[in-house]
Amino acid sequence: MYHSNKITIMLTKCKSKACIFLFASSLVLNSCDYLDIVPAEIITEEKIFNDITLAQQDLGSLYHDVLKWTTQNSDDRILRDGPFNWTGCAGDEMIDHWGTTAPTTYFKLGGLTTSYNPLGDWSWNYTLIRKATNFINKIDDVPLTQSQQQTYGVKKKQFKEEARFLRAYLYFDLLRQYGAVPLITEVLDMANVPDEKLARTPVDKIVDFICSELDQVASDESQLPDTWNNDTQNYGRISKTAALALKARTLLYAASPLYNGNTLYKDIKNADGTQLFPQTYDKELWKKAADAAQAAIDRCLSAGITLSHEGVNSINKYEKMFYNNTNNSEFILASIQTYGIYEDVSCNSHSNDKGGWGRFSIMQNQVDAYETATGHLPFLMDDEGCILYDENGTPTINPESDYKEDGFTHVDELWDGTTMQPCTNVYLDLNYSVVKDMGEYDLYNMYVNRDPRFYASLTFQGAKFRNATEGLQRCYHFAYWRNQEQYGPLWVDGYPNINTNNETGYGVRKYMNPEADIKNWIGTSSNYPLFRLSELYLIKAEALNEYYDTPNQEVYDAINQIRDRVDMPRLPLSDVAEDKTQIGMRKRIRNERRVELFFEGHRFWDVRRWMVGDRCFGIPNYRMNAQPSENELMAKAREMGKVSMTDYASDPAYSEQRVWDSREVGLAIYYKRTVDVNCVFSDKMYLFPIPQDDINKNGILVQNYGW
């Protein structure tokens, strides 16, 4: 990453001339020519800002670098914030088990240091801020020929507002990572910059700057439209509604406990005594956030941006939004992805013969958040909306709910992404021929009668998902067994091909296209929502609930807009008195964000701004018992009569036959909460440390709390 470079990377010198190093994307979308960027070479700023086409490409490179217009693995920002987001893996949503251990090592296990932060973007953000500022300063003066005047006369103003948004977005990103940061809005000659220019700017001034910039982008004088959603050539460009959405999100953060009267940071001051974090709680900040959310909602609705209801049932209305979204009515700003089938292959489960690579395993902690179909929270929570687990990792069932965990229930059919399918399963050979019809199966009660978003977002033991390759409907099987018949080869690098690569017993379903033929590499990519209308309703609900002592109808109306789409019962529930209190609705709203915005890069930051890291990220990540020890398997096999001590002792080859290592044995010990990662969290982890190299080189920078 970019953690080790000094902030002064904002201006590099190239034989006494400032130069911009621009790197071409390996794939440019044909339908979005505004994403074209300057070829891979060193081009002087003088040349760029004397040619409007090069200047336009310079803006395209900003889009690429800031909002992840990219192909796979071309930079690290896509890993942190995009569809392969490491923030979800660094929190309690999931784990990436492809050997990409950075989120676990440095965040779940507390290995983050001032010298290495794989999710930090300190210097890189300032590099891009410098680039955006330079563009803002110079685009007005780019000369136009007579023939270019008609096309670019107005577009130059539009380009300037887009760059202004991108700079504001970068400062918001720095705010959520580091809190108070140096606010630099000039292209500085670092050889002669006064020290005070590099001092950290208080949080409230950073917020004011971001909001003032966004107000200008969304103003009547701005050349940007309210939305580009009906323009296929420009879909994904920054708009006025995007500016208002970012303003609402910024003000929500500013009102949250991490930034609003947080006395933990009382001693974080500049050398001149300037307080960097507000020490007095300001309730009115919540009202500002609510008003900003409402303004953004109003502008969205007038522009035709509405909650997506496309789909044939409550599950499909949610899931379809994320895989059939090349032009989605709910997306305010989308990151245009170019993965194609790669996304479906890498994220789909390897379970049974699905053919995916099963990159992400969803944590039991996330599974526990989904309400029952009757609208009840399944488990008790504390006043901050954190599920209460005992020392054995068992949450306490909410007595008001109808949730059951032990035992099984017969379910006639499940949604497979396109149709309802009976709960039956088949057993295949290596040629995908049916060798055994395993008949009907029952679902574990944990997976019965949950919020429709549960079935749309993740896969679980017994879940159905269409397999476009053969058209056969097979359930997901995550319970452990040595996969010696289902999916070859039998051995890989000398080890058995074990069919449990989704180590927690859960896989990702959100963003997966049921029409994709992943074994034949046929599919389409899905755009990634940076801002969508649902978030604005959730911002409004949260901000108003915190502003008023008791939730009013506006709070309920905002959250019910989200719940209505998936046919979840409207709040408050008549039999839940707590729903009519501020604390009760705080639990509901925070949990609604966790469910609605799952796998969209919010949870990692939400837990921090709420300051509940010790209760959410400082507890173990749990899973189902999908990776039992051999001793546990042997013990269960003996109990089931599949192996005896006599056989095992008298026949040395018996252990190689693995008669005990079967599908039935794995399933018999599967349904047990098990620790996957023993996580740690301390107060200093609420904000990232400022890179130590920058502290050493710029003595005026003060470090964040605890680092």
Side-chain angles (χ1 to χ4, degrees), residues 658-675:
R658 299 288 188 186
V659 295
W660 52 270
D661 203 355
S662 68
R663 183 188 191 101
E664 292 74 22
V665 174
L667 188 58
I669 60 176
Y670 174 75
Y671 296 105
K672 181 176 72 173
R673 292 173 181 269
T674 307
V675 173

Side-chain angles (χ1 to χ4, degrees), residues 1 76-91 93-96 99-104 106-108 116-119 359-360 599 601 604:
M1 291 295 291
D76 289 325
R77 294 177 74 86
I78 192 70
L79 290 174
R80 196 191 75 187
D81 295 325
F84 298 108
N85 73 83
W86 274 7
T87 57
C89 299
E93 288 185 311
M94 67 193 82
I95 193 169
D96 181 342
T100 48
T101 60
T104 296
Y106 294 97
F107 291 90
K108 290 183 190 291
Y116 184 67
N117 176 3
L119 300 186
R359 177 170 187 171
F360 296 109
F599 211 165
F604 180 85

Side-chain angles (χ1 to χ4, degrees), residues 363-365 390-394 503-504 619-627 672-679:
M363 292 300 170
Q364 184 67 45
N365 308 54
D390 66 18
E391 64 277 5
N392 298 316
T394 303
E503 65 182 60
T504 63
I619 65 173
N621 283 172
Y622 298 105
R623 58 176 170 85
M624 286 288 100
N625 193 27
Q627 295 188 332
K672 181 176 72 173
R673 292 173 181 269
T674 307
V675 173
D676 193 67
V677 182
N678 275 306
C679 305

Side-chain angles (χ1 to χ4, degrees), residues 79 207 262 267 284 375 380 582 659:
L79 290 174
V207 171
N262 179 7
D267 295 326
E284 294 302 316
L380 295 182
Q582 184 191 59
V659 295

